[in-house]
Amino acid sequence: MSYKLDKIGDERFNRTKKFVYSLVSTMYVNKPILAFRQNVTDKYTIYNSLFAALPFSGIANVGALLPILLQSCIDGYQSGKSPIEIIQDFFNRHVQLSNETEQLDRLFKFVQYIERQVVLFDAIEDAAFDSVHQLNGTGSLKALYNEAFFKGKIPLLKEKLSQFKVRVVLTAHPTQFYPGSVLGIIHDLGEAIAKNDFETINLYIQQLGITPFFNKKQPTPLDEAVNLMWYLENILYQSIGNIYNFVHNEILEGEKEINNPLIELGFWPGGDRDGNPFVNASTTLKIADSLRSAIIVCYYRDIRKLKRRLTFSGVDVLVTKLEAQLYENVFRPEESKRIHQKELLEKLQEIKDLMIANHHSLYINRVNSLINKVKVFGTWFASIDIRQDSRIHTAVIKNIDATLKQKNQNGILPNDYDTLSEEEKINCLLGIEKVIDIDDTSTEIAKDTVESIFAINSIQQINGEQGCHRYIISNCQSALNMMEVFTLFKLCGWNTKQLSVDIVPLFETIEDLKEAEHIMQWLYQLPIYKKHLQARSLSQTIMLGFSDGTKDGGYLQANWSIYTAKEKLTAISRNHEIKVKFFDGRGGPPSRGGGKTNKFYASLGNNIENEEIQLTIQGQTITSNFGTLKSAQYNLEQLLSAGISNTVFAENRIEISTKHRSLLEELGGISHQVYQSFKKHPQFLPYMQQFSPLNYYNKSNIGSRPGKRGNSDKLVFEDLRAIPFVGSWSQLKQNVPGYFGVGSALQSLKNAGRWDEVKSLFNEVAFFRTLIDNSMMSMLKSFFPLTAHIEHDPLFGPVWRMIKSEYDLTHSLVLELSGDKVLMEQDQPGRASILMRDKIVLPLLTIQQYALQQLKNEGVSEELKANYEKLITRSMFGIINAARNSA
């Protein structure tokens, strides 16, 4: 009896213990979502109520009616109503307005209101960042250090930190509608919310009510650059400095200086000419000057703060002199008095040495911090990349040849140049010895191309080589395209034996990715190009385009093609003893290489060179990932840690087996075929033009660049840029590029009785798991009831059903594959954020679809048509801002 009682007691104890462990585990897992609810959801509910009392004309009434409109949308879509039926029913039941013009005016008020709700939510979520995310958790530098310490890998970690770096390139592809004034309010509002400063919050909310949210005219490239510099000066300067200081002081323990910047900044505004006629050499030079001025201002502010502490004899004199010199460089810059990185470091080192020798090293860490920043940012702040299409370079060389011949001079090309083979053309280019000037060109694009090459030299003279040292060739399809750029530098008088510029090919389409290995192999064997690489420390940067790759080949195939291209390019580069550095052209959403990018880099195997992580950051992703000091430092550390872990903890990596590679190839091939079939549907583009705001991107004044390539009035798929393409699917809440073809590929293998193989692939291959996880994000951001009315359209109904069918199939199979009950189940805060944002903009989405449908009415007047088009454009702002990574 006693034995049985003891046994029962032990069983109860064990059950209790398991329950407690389960409870603790649940509490730990749910802690982020609880923090999200307390610090985001609840605060949004409280502060959003302040909008209802805003003392501005028409706003208060809108604040009272908007919850009713939201509920009408929710109930309407549940009962199968269309956007037109929902809006008309809302006006009939709740707002008695006499005519269509008054209804439109009220809808504009709703749009303005919702835009400000999105800003409020952004600020609240930014303020709660450190409570929702584990800043020192997995992926942080502290966690990386701790793991290395316990595994005895500290020496290897230190070695990797002396070599590895992340290059974050801010692009000229804005998908961010917030003007600088609104960005400032978001930043200040977030700080007030973090302090629970109710009175200040109320003032900022009122400020939002009367602050314009959109650009009345299209921004220039210089405008775009100035907007992005806000992030450089206010966020990245400090956050990157903090990371450098932590590595130097905590990991390396100050035992030696770091000769590696760890994080570099790149900059595309003013340098990216690809399809942007508004970028010219003059703009490039102005932006280089602005970047120099911006970083000197940052140093000047820091030295003024240091001056209040460094009051010691002798040191104070040195600090005052440096302060005066920096002031002159900012406000009265003279060419003869420009300070350079080397001189600035020497002056700071002199101050430091005197402090150590005579003043007990008091405040030495503050001086070290500034020294570290000067090492990272120099006098360039961010390095300008020049980018142009390969077809332009071909045309420019031919224009130079034709212009010289018109001047009765010797041309640079033989008359039969066009009939020569690629190798013969390259040999012809290599034989050119001519040095030209601007007058040796006769077209605007040829003049600017030559002037841009001259501009690179000017920038290097003023800001140092790091100021501008990369020339990117988009649409690169051959070795000839690379050598054309090499020849242009030679024509412009550069010494090609010591060319201080990296020539970077950009491979984008599926076919280009297949050819990349052959192209680089040929170049590596070309003696003159090999000498060029020797002068560049045997290093070759190669850019790969996720955005156009996905647009061209579909989600799975594009990502797998890029992965295998990287492996092949790594192999041939290693064979030629060349360090290849991959530069990923990424957008915000998963369909353009976005999503959880740190997980992507952590999933790469050892067969892919891991010298650097280089990626583009654009638009909303800049705001969402790098909009605050905490979020910027967190996301930069995640990228650093992902790349470093691949080497330091290489034993944790499981390389993709031959069996799994074959499976990925098969899945990619099937998905590619399904996507291509969909793309060839005769109503593919007309569907987007009819039901999404695709035709309105150019009217939004969001960026300086045209929405499509080419000058044709008719839109063709090849000319359509990735941003409006992906962004339109996002606003349509169908997100086709993020999952289309995935479900069909999975189903094909399941039907063949190979589901266990697919599950094994998911469980064992982090790369595939990351693709599925990111695809889940695209699907979670979809909402098909918004467009369910299209199903019955005689012309476009079949297209809608194709999309919905693929979505349903993919949704079902990825959940079965992952074992989750809902999409993004493993990221509860991320899921909650998406769902809340989608709820906020549901009326906005409904208004946009309502306006698009109203334009189809034959009887609509020209005046009403213009207002409906304006309503569509205005509705885009809040929808895109709420999505945070929609394009």
Side-chain angles (χ1 to χ4, degrees):
M1 185 73 173
S2 174
Y3 169 76
K4 287 182 179 179
L5 285 173
D6 288 344
K7 189 175 181 181
I8 292 170
D10 288 344
E11 289 175 354
R12 285 177 179 171
F13 174 76
N14 288 331
R15 282 200 301 270
T16 303
K17 185 169 70 172
K18 286 180 180 179
F19 171 76
V20 171
Y21 284 166
S22 174
L23 182 63
V24 170
S25 175
T26 302
M27 287 172 63
Y28 178 78
V29 170
N30 289 337
K31 188 176 179 182
I33 189 60
L34 290 174
F36 184 89
R37 288 169 184 162
Q38 291 170 358
N39 296 294
V40 180
T41 308
D42 293 348
K43 283 189 176 183
Y44 175 75
T45 302
I46 294 167
Y47 295 131
N48 184 45
S49 65
L50 294 176
F51 274 119
L54 283 175
F56 308 116
S57 173
I59 295 290
N61 192 26
V62 171
L65 286 170
L66 188 56
I68 299 172
L69 176 58
L70 173 60
Q71 195 59 49
S72 297
C73 292
I74 294 170
D75 295 340
Y77 290 124
Q78 285 179 348
S79 58
K81 290 182 180 179
S82 71
I84 276 195
E85 291 170 328
I86 290 170
I87 296 295
Q88 289 178 343
D89 182 61
F90 169 78
F91 280 127
N92 291 336
R93 295 178 60 187
H94 303 290
V95 188
Q96 301 301 319
L97 298 173
S98 58
N99 56 55
E100 199 170 349
T101 301
E102 289 184 1
Q103 290 182 355
L104 266 168
D105 182 65
R106 187 55 56 91
L107 292 176
F108 273 111
K109 286 287 196 300
F110 283 135
V111 170
Q112 291 175 312
Y113 191 99
I114 295 168
E115 286 172 346
R116 286 150 178 82
Q117 283 185 313
V118 173
V119 170
L120 176 63
F121 191 84
D122 282 347
I124 290 171
E125 199 165 37
D126 285 345
F129 190 88
D130 56 341
S131 63
V132 175
H133 298 81
Q134 292 182 306
L135 300 187
N136 294 320
T138 303
S140 69
L141 288 177
K142 282 189 177 179
L144 179 69
Y145 175 81
N146 289 337
E147 185 177 359
F149 178 81
F150 285 112
K151 292 184 176 181
K153 296 289 185 74
I154 292 296
L156 186 56
L157 174 61
K158 290 180 177 179
E159 180 185 348
K160 188 63 179 177
L161 283 167
S162 68
Q163 303 166 350
F164 183 82
K165 59 187 171 186
V166 168
R167 187 184 186 90
V168 171
V169 180
L170 307 185
T171 77
H173 308 330
T175 52
Q176 174 59 268
F177 282 89
Y178 292 142
S181 56
V182 176
L183 288 172
I185 295 173
I186 294 175
H187 182 269
D188 296 342
L189 183 57
E191 290 188 344
I193 289 169
K195 298 173 184 176
N196 293 312
D197 184 349
F198 189 84
E199 184 176 345
T200 304
I201 292 166
N202 192 24
L203 285 172
Y204 289 148
I205 288 176
Q206 291 184 51
Q207 184 183 354
L208 280 176
I210 53 176
T211 299
F213 266 52
F214 65 99
N215 298 313
K216 293 182 180 179
K217 62 178 183 177
Q218 188 175 21
T220 66
L222 188 58
D223 293 332
E224 291 172 339
V226 170
N227 283 338
L228 282 184
M229 283 183 204
W230 187 91
Y231 295 97
L232 295 181
E233 293 181 61
N234 294 283
I235 305 296
L236 293 168
Y237 175 73
Q238 192 61 50
S239 57
I240 292 174
N242 290 343
I243 290 172
Y244 195 101
N245 290 341
F246 177 82
V247 171
H248 181 263
N249 298 331
E250 303 299 326
I251 297 181
L252 300 180
E253 300 175 315
E255 60 190 40
K256 63 178 181 178
E257 297 298 320
I258 312 175
N259 294 318
N260 176 30
L262 294 174
I263 300 170
E264 293 180 331
L265 294 175
F267 208 70
W268 274 20
D272 182 12
R273 287 154 168 74
D274 182 14
N276 192 336
F278 307 110
V279 175
N280 55 42
S282 174
T283 305
T284 305
L285 290 168
K286 285 178 184 176
I287 290 172
D289 283 342
S290 297
L291 286 166
R292 176 185 172 85
S293 178
I295 191 59
I296 298 297
V297 166
C298 289
Y299 295 153
Y300 176 70
R301 289 171 182 163
D302 276 0
I303 205 71
R304 281 181 62 84
K305 292 175 185 176
L306 270 174
K307 187 179 179 181
R308 297 181 64 179
R309 303 279 79 86
L310 305 186
T311 53
F312 327 128
S313 176
V315 173
D316 56 345
V317 176
L318 295 176
V319 171
T320 300
K321 284 183 179 179
L322 182 54
E323 178 196 15
Q325 189 173 3
L326 289 171
Y327 180 90
E328 292 292 325
N329 270 257
V330 173
F331 299 105
R332 290 193 290 268
E334 295 180 24
E335 187 172 345
S336 60
K337 295 182 179 179
R338 285 195 186 113
I339 193 167
H340 293 280
Q341 183 190 32
K342 182 181 178 183
E343 182 185 356
L344 189 49
L345 286 172
E346 287 173 351
K347 290 180 180 295
L348 288 170
Q349 188 64 46
E350 185 181 1
I351 292 169
K352 179 179 174 180
D353 291 342
L354 191 56
M355 290 169 65
I356 293 171
N358 299 339
H359 303 292
H360 313 291
S361 298
L362 191 61
Y363 298 122
I364 199 75
N365 283 341
R366 297 192 185 191
V367 178
N368 282 334
S369 178
L370 182 52
I371 289 173
N372 291 341
K373 288 172 183 173
V374 176
K375 287 180 178 179
V376 173
F377 302 115
T379 53
W380 55 86
F381 212 161
S383 181
I384 297 176
D385 286 347
I386 306 297
R387 183 172 79 130
Q388 184 57 281
D389 190 285
S390 64
R391 291 165 290 194
I392 298 296
H393 303 134
T394 304
V396 170
I397 288 175
K398 289 183 178 181
N399 178 261
I400 293 170
D401 177 62
T403 306
L404 289 171
K405 288 175 180 175
Q406 286 173 3
K407 291 180 172 184
N408 295 319
Q409 297 181 22
N410 292 328
I412 57 173
L413 302 176
N415 293 330
D416 63 345
Y417 180 77
D418 287 339
T419 66
L420 301 179
S421 68
E422 180 181 342
E423 187 171 351
E424 288 172 331
K425 286 179 178 178
I426 290 174
N427 287 332
C428 177
L429 294 177
L430 293 179
I432 295 173
E433 297 296 335
K434 176 80 174 176
V435 175
I436 64 166
D437 56 37
I438 296 298
D439 292 336
D440 293 327
T441 58
S442 57
T443 64
E444 187 176 338
I445 189 67
K447 287 182 184 298
D448 180 68
T449 301
V450 170
E451 285 180 339
S452 71
I453 294 175
F454 290 150
I456 296 172
N457 184 54
S458 297
I459 293 169
Q460 289 192 359
Q461 296 302 313
I462 298 168
N463 291 353
E465 183 181 316
Q466 285 292 94
C468 185
H469 64 98
R470 307 205 307 183
Y471 198 110
I472 299 166
I473 308 167
S474 57
N475 192 42
C476 186
Q477 298 182 329
S478 66
L480 175 62
N481 292 156
M482 292 279 285
M483 296 314 297
E484 285 171 336
V485 170
F486 187 85
T487 300
L488 283 170
F489 275 91
K490 190 176 180 182
L491 283 165
C492 291
W494 287 70
N495 177 4
T496 52
K497 293 180 180 178
Q498 294 293 327
L499 182 60
S500 58
V501 176
D502 298 314
I503 300 174
V504 181
L506 168 51
F507 303 114
E508 299 176 90
T509 67
I510 302 300
E511 286 304 312
D512 290 347
L513 290 166
K514 287 180 181 177
E515 287 298 310
E517 178 187 14
H518 169 73
I519 292 170
M520 297 314 300
Q521 176 84 311
W522 200 92
L523 283 168
Y524 288 159
Q525 293 173 338
L526 187 65
I528 193 167
Y529 193 76
K530 194 164 187 179
K531 287 181 180 178
H532 164 64
L533 291 180
Q534 288 170 346
R536 303 303 291 162
S537 303
L538 287 174
S539 173
Q540 172 69 56
T541 301
I542 298 174
M543 188 173 180
L544 303 165
F546 283 75
S547 302
D548 283 292
T550 301
K551 172 177 162 268
D552 175 60
Y555 178 68
L556 265 185
Q557 183 63 28
N559 278 276
W560 179 238
S561 294
I562 289 171
Y563 189 98
T564 54
K566 283 185 175 182
E567 287 188 319
K568 292 173 182 176
L569 290 166
T570 297
I572 63 165
S573 298
R574 287 174 177 172
N575 286 342
H576 288 274
E577 298 182 335
I578 292 164
K579 280 283 185 182
V580 65
K581 299 173 182 178
F582 294 113
F583 177 25
D584 293 337
R586 294 178 174 275
S591 56
R592 296 187 60 226
K596 304 290 185 181
T597 51
N598 60 303
K599 287 187 176 181
F600 174 87
Y601 289 113
S603 72
L604 301 182
N606 294 322
N607 292 330
I608 293 176
E609 194 65 75
N610 189 35
E611 185 76 9
E612 293 183 17
I613 287 177
Q614 299 187 18
L615 73 164
T616 56
I617 307 287
Q618 56 191 259
Q620 302 146 295
T621 314
I622 297 173
T623 303
S624 58
N625 288 2
F626 304 96
T628 68
L629 284 172
K630 288 177 180 177
S631 64
Q633 190 163 333
Y634 173 85
N635 284 296
L636 288 170
E637 285 192 26
Q638 291 285 319
L639 285 171
L640 262 176
S641 181
I644 291 170
S645 296
N646 281 342
T647 300
V648 176
F649 309 117
E651 71 277 5
N652 295 341
R653 308 217 45 75
I654 299 176
E655 293 297 332
I656 302 178
S657 66
T658 303
K659 179 181 177 181
H660 285 153
R661 298 178 74 85
S662 176
L663 199 58
L664 279 164
E665 193 72 40
E666 196 171 348
L667 287 167
I670 297 168
S671 69
H672 182 244
Q673 186 177 4
V674 170
Y675 178 74
Q676 293 298 326
S677 176
F678 176 53
K679 251 182 19 176
K680 290 175 184 176
H681 193 286
Q683 301 307 323
F684 179 80
L685 271 182
Y687 176 89
M688 293 184 70
Q689 291 177 292
Q690 283 281 326
F691 299 106
S692 81
L694 178 65
N695 294 337
Y696 298 89
Y697 265 80
N698 275 354
K699 298 178 181 180
S700 66
N701 292 331
I702 184 175
S704 68
R705 199 169 68 159
K708 68 180 184 70
R709 295 177 172 89
N711 299 316
S712 173
D713 291 334
K714 183 180 179 182
L715 180 65
V716 295
F717 184 80
E718 288 70 26
D719 288 343
L720 183 58
R721 292 192 180 280
I723 286 176
F725 175 73
V726 173
S728 295
W729 286 117
S730 174
Q731 299 225 358
L732 198 51
K733 299 304 286 183
Q734 293 181 353
N735 286 314
V736 162
Y739 61 82
F740 201 92
V742 175
S744 292
L746 294 174
Q747 186 66 56
S748 178
L749 269 70
K750 188 175 185 181
N751 289 344
R754 301 170 62 190
W755 190 242
D756 286 343
E757 292 179 43
V758 179
K759 290 188 76 171
S760 171
L761 179 68
F762 180 82
N763 292 327
E764 296 178 25
V765 178
F767 171 75
F768 181 64
R769 194 161 56 248
T770 299
L771 293 186
I772 296 298
D773 286 347
N774 279 337
S775 191
M776 285 187 183
M777 183 187 292
S778 292
M779 287 187 284
L780 184 63
K781 291 187 175 187
S782 301
F783 182 69
F784 280 87
L786 177 72
T787 54
H789 60 281
I790 305 174
E791 182 178 8
H792 308 294
D793 187 289
L795 183 60
F796 295 106
V799 180
W800 188 91
R801 288 191 291 273
M802 284 176 67
I803 298 168
K804 182 63 163 61
S805 175
E806 185 66 22
Y807 171 87
D808 288 340
L809 181 63
T810 308
H811 181 276
S812 171
L813 289 176
V814 297
L815 290 182
E816 183 180 348
L817 188 62
S818 65
D820 294 337
K821 294 183 177 62
V822 293
L823 296 172
M824 288 184 67
E825 186 177 329
Q826 304 305 315
D827 180 11
Q828 288 294 321
R831 174 182 168 83
S833 176
I834 289 170
L835 294 178
M836 273 201 74
R837 289 172 176 276
D838 280 357
K839 184 177 180 181
I840 291 169
V841 297
L842 185 59
L844 204 53
L845 292 160
T846 306
I847 290 169
Q848 184 183 91
Q849 283 296 314
Y850 168 79
L852 283 163
Q853 287 181 263
Q854 289 288 70
L855 285 175
K856 297 173 188 174
N857 295 337
E858 293 182 1
V860 66
S861 68
E862 287 300 315
E863 182 182 354
L864 283 174
K865 181 181 178 182
N867 283 330
Y868 278 122
E869 289 183 337
K870 183 180 177 183
L871 186 61
I872 293 166
T873 305
R874 283 301 307 277
S875 66
M876 293 169 64
F877 296 14
I879 295 169
I880 285 186
N881 288 333
R884 289 215 138 180
N885 68 349
S886 64

